[in-house]
Amino acid sequence: MMDILPESDQRFAYEFIKKLVRAWDPDYTKVTPEEAREIQDAEESGFIDDADIDWDNLSKYA
């Protein structure tokens, strides 16, 4: 949708959205209640920790 705006308005919209995000969550660590539930569900489901994944050999997980 932003692509249809003139370039100056695109820059304004981008900067405005960036300010809103930073005002709500300056260090990008907040989650919504829904995201918090999803994180908790994942943690309780026996998910695989990223430290346990061999990132150099992902094909063995396919």
Side-chain angles (χ1 to χ4, degrees):
M1 183 141 200
M2 285 184 46
D3 292 338
I4 63 173
L5 296 172
E7 189 174 331
S8 62
D9 289 343
Q10 288 179 17
R11 281 194 305 274
F12 171 78
Y14 173 75
E15 292 301 321
F16 182 71
I17 292 168
K18 192 164 62 171
K19 285 182 182 188
L20 289 174
V21 169
R22 286 184 178 157
W24 182 71
D25 188 8
D27 58 1
Y28 301 101
T29 57
K30 290 183 184 176
V31 295
T32 64
E34 176 65 24
E35 291 169 330
R37 280 190 297 280
E38 289 174 2
I39 291 169
Q40 178 142 6
D41 290 346
E43 288 174 344
E44 293 172 354
S45 71
F47 74 103
I48 299 172
D49 191 282
D50 68 335
D52 296 332
I53 297 173
D54 183 355
W55 293 101
D56 296 322
N57 297 302
L58 291 176
S59 61
K60 72 180 185 182
Y61 297 106

